[in-house]
Amino acid sequence: MKEINYSELKKGGFMRQVQKGYFSMRLRVVGGRLSAEQLKKIYEVANKYGRGYVHLTARQGVEIPFIKLEDIEAVKKELSEAGLEPGACGPRVRTITACQGSSICPNGIIDTTELANECDKRYYAQELPHKFKIGITGCGNNCLKAEENDLGIKGAVKPEWEKSSCTFCGLCQAVCPTKAIQIDEKNKEITIDRDKCTYCGRCVKSCPTNSWKGKPGYLLHFGGMFGNNIALGKQILPILFSKEDVHKVIQATLEFYKKYGKQGERFRNTIERVGWDIFKKELEKAIENKRGDFNE
């Protein structure tokens, strides 16, 4: 009898169940988006090869339990008819998660779906010392919990105030969640404490006279980790306005992990061991590279 390579099966998205001979298959779902046709195919496969139900994971994934070993190739073939394939497991870049972003959500600042698809094409399933999760959230509401990911990306706005059209209604001050905005009605001035500002953009969106202008950008968080050990990701770079720079930073982050990470070591632990200052310098160096050196 041929020996079963459970490690390779897990790498390919088939995880061994408690029940002997059965596997729970994880699907590759980029940014949490599935078409109606794909959902129909998942339904058909779950009924034909599983036990008629699916499991929705915490990271927008879909798993079909109770797949028999002998049915794995047939399952993969039928799913491929709807453009579906198993998701990555093990020590590699996992499926990219994302909220609906600016294309759907009124609060969205960045196009999360577009960025998730780009990240999926560039980084998905890259081999690393341990699992690596990338999450993209469209605004400060942080639905995707950017800080919980190994690398979290959050839509942000850097606000700027124009006095000429301001009526000093006070709405910007009222909606600011960190009380970073202060209004001096006597001298007709508004100040913003940049140390308190979280770049949420609420002042920009709420201003009735467009006195607050904002340039959309990206805040990146590094080293988030949930599981047996919990740590929130840190924001060690200023807001980035170029998506090109975001991709430079992501690639530099993965290269840092490949270079310094020990097998089985989570990314956060690698940074802590090597040093946040060294990691930050690697990222800054990547951003400073000429744009012409970056392949889109």
Side-chain angles (χ1 to χ4, degrees):
M1 183 177 178
K2 186 178 179 181
E3 186 178 351
I4 301 170
N5 191 330
Y6 290 107
S7 179
E8 280 300 307
L9 285 170
K10 183 178 180 181
K11 180 180 177 180
F14 289 86
M15 296 165 289
R16 182 165 46 164
Q17 292 183 200
V18 172
Q19 297 83 2
K20 189 176 180 180
Y22 289 99
F23 296 82
S24 185
M25 187 207 62
R26 180 175 296 168
L27 284 167
R28 180 181 182 180
V29 182
V30 183
R33 177 172 290 195
L34 289 166
S35 69
E37 192 64 30
Q38 288 173 325
L39 286 171
K40 182 180 178 181
K41 178 58 70 175
I42 293 169
Y43 158 81
E44 292 172 354
V45 169
N47 274 322
K48 185 175 179 179
Y49 297 101
R51 293 193 177 175
Y53 74 93
V54 301
H55 170 70
L56 302 180
T57 74
R59 298 195 74 250
Q60 302 180 327
V62 177
E63 292 181 7
I64 305 177
F66 289 99
I67 303 296
K68 294 180 180 178
L69 178 64
E70 58 266 30
D71 290 334
I72 285 177
E73 291 306 315
V75 166
K76 288 163 68 174
K77 184 176 183 297
E78 290 197 27
L79 288 170
S80 68
E81 295 170 2
L84 292 164
E85 61 183 65
C89 298
R92 52 194 54 85
V93 177
R94 301 291 184 86
T95 301
I96 314 300
T97 60
C99 70
Q100 297 198 81
S102 60
S103 63
I104 297 292
C105 179
N107 295 315
I109 296 170
I110 59 173
D111 190 333
T112 54
T113 300
E114 180 180 73
L115 183 55
N117 286 327
E118 290 178 7
C119 289
D120 176 71
K121 290 176 182 177
R122 296 180 188 226
Y123 317 116
Y124 173 73
Q126 283 194 28
E127 300 287 332
L128 294 168
H130 207 298
K131 61 185 176 183
F132 192 93
K133 300 174 181 179
I134 299 175
I136 306 168
T137 195
C139 69
N141 287 340
N142 206 13
C143 295
L144 252 292
K145 303 175 181 62
E147 293 86 349
E148 294 182 7
N149 290 269
D150 295 281
L151 198 161
I153 303 169
K154 186 187 298 181
V157 170
K158 184 177 181 179
E160 299 291 346
W161 176 63
E162 293 182 0
K163 184 176 182 178
S164 58
S165 57
C166 183
T167 61
F168 297 91
C169 66
L171 189 56
C172 58
Q173 185 179 37
V175 300
C176 180
T178 59
K179 308 301 179 186
I181 296 174
Q182 296 297 320
I183 298 177
D184 183 347
E185 294 185 10
K186 181 179 179 181
N187 296 308
K188 296 299 180 183
E189 289 291 339
I190 292 181
T191 57
I192 180 167
D193 187 335
R194 296 293 180 183
D195 291 330
K196 289 183 178 180
C197 180
T198 59
Y199 303 100
C200 69
R202 292 186 183 181
C203 53
V204 178
K205 285 183 177 288
S206 65
C207 183
T209 62
N210 293 320
S211 294
W212 284 98
K213 310 291 183 183
K215 185 177 180 181
Y218 310 84
L219 293 177
L220 274 61
H221 302 266
F222 305 91
M225 182 170 60
F226 265 62
N228 292 318
N229 296 297
I230 297 174
L232 292 179
K234 294 184 179 182
Q235 181 197 332
I236 59 174
L237 295 176
I239 184 172
L240 301 177
F241 297 106
S242 164
K243 192 160 58 171
E244 179 182 320
D245 285 343
V246 172
H247 281 301
K248 285 183 178 181
V249 168
I250 296 173
Q251 188 59 52
T253 299
L254 296 178
E255 292 301 327
F256 176 90
Y257 195 19
K258 291 174 185 177
K259 180 179 179 180
Y260 294 105
K262 296 179 179 179
Q263 199 62 36
E265 180 180 56
R266 287 298 302 269
F267 178 56
R268 174 60 172 252
N269 296 331
T270 298
I271 304 174
E272 297 281 4
R273 177 173 54 79
V274 177
W276 283 93
D277 55 339
I278 294 174
F279 176 51
K280 184 179 179 181
K281 287 178 182 178
E282 292 283 336
L283 301 184
E284 291 172 338
K285 181 180 177 181
I287 295 172
E288 290 169 3
N289 287 342
K290 294 180 180 179
R291 292 181 185 273
D293 294 339
F294 184 79
N295 296 319
E296 275 292 345

